[in-house]
């Protein structure tokens, strides 16, 4: 059964590769149906992969091989709440080491240009701490990081 609401992500001929990577990297992720073009279209030929149904952490997505006209940007990202440093490192490294790019404050991009926020739950707890001075210290520490270092966030929170 098709979900009533599906995120459609635009790719330049690499939707199946991206879907396979996400399925291998993130829990509760899978590649579903692969649909081939019934005829030629502006960025492909009959028989090329046109769309790929997949899920990323339970979220239904559709990869559309629409060509090079539109690129991903930071206006859309997946935010992944991680439970510990090992999970944070595993996901961050999987994205960055597979042709991705590091950014700031827990953000990175995969090799297809899709943005990811690898966000430890400890960071969220720290920057929402009712002790606003502790929250500020944790926030300022985060602002200096690429991949989030949970021990450093907790140390900053404690002061």
């Amino acid at each position: 059964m098709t979900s009533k609401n599906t995120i459609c992500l635009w790719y330049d001929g690499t939707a199946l590769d991206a879907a396979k990577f996400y399925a291998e990297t993130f829990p509760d992720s899978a590649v579903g149906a692969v649909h081939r073009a019934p005829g030629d279209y502006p960025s492909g030929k009959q028989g090329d992969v046109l769309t790929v149904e997949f899920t990323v952490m339970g979220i239904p997505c559709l990869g559309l091989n629409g060509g090079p006209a539109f690129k991903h940007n930071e206006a859309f990202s997946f935010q992944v709440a991680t439970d510990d440093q090992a999970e944070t490192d595993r996901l961050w490294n999987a994205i960055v080491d597979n042709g991705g790019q590091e950014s700031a404050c827990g953000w990175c991009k995969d090799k297809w240009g899709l943005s990811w926020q690898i966000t430890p739950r400890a960071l969220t707890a720290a920057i929402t701490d009712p002790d606003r001075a502790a929250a500020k210290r944790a926030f300022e520490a985060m602002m200096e990081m690429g991949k989030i270092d949970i021990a450093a966030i907790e140390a900053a929170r404690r002061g």
Side-chain angles (χ1 to χ4, degrees):
M1 181 172 179
T2 302
S3 175
K4 191 159 184 93
N5 186 12
T6 300
I7 295 170
C8 182
L9 299 168
W10 189 289
Y11 294 90
D12 185 12
T14 58
L16 183 56
D17 292 337
K20 287 178 180 177
F21 173 75
Y22 304 145
E24 293 168 359
T25 303
F26 297 98
D28 193 23
S29 300
V31 177
V34 176
H35 302 282
R36 298 193 175 272
D40 292 349
Y41 61 110
S43 63
K45 302 284 184 210
Q46 180 177 341
D48 289 352
V49 173
L50 180 62
T51 62
V52 179
E53 296 175 18
F54 60 99
T55 57
V56 176
M57 295 172 287
I59 298 171
C61 298
L62 180 76
L64 169 65
N65 281 327
F70 299 106
K71 306 286 184 206
H72 298 291
N73 67 52
E74 292 81 358
F76 176 88
S77 64
F78 281 103
Q79 184 178 44
V80 182
T82 56
D83 293 323
D84 55 31
Q85 192 67 52
E87 184 181 22
T88 300
D89 292 347
R90 183 183 73 75
L91 296 177
W92 175 278
N93 293 340
I95 292 167
V96 171
D97 293 348
N98 188 48
Q101 179 182 12
E102 296 186 18
S103 191
C105 305
W107 289 68
C108 57
K109 285 185 184 180
D110 64 29
K111 73 179 182 180
W112 301 280
L114 189 61
S115 292
W116 297 83
Q117 298 176 59
I118 308 302
T119 309
R121 294 179 196 280
L123 171 63
T124 302
I127 65 174
T128 60
D129 191 314
D131 177 343
R132 298 317 296 156
K136 183 177 183 200
R137 288 190 303 271
F139 182 79
E140 289 172 347
M142 176 206 65
M143 293 299 294
E144 301 297 320
M145 296 178 184
K147 176 174 60 178
I148 302 300
D149 178 336
I150 295 172
I153 292 295
E154 291 174 344
R157 184 181 187 183
R158 289 189 302 271

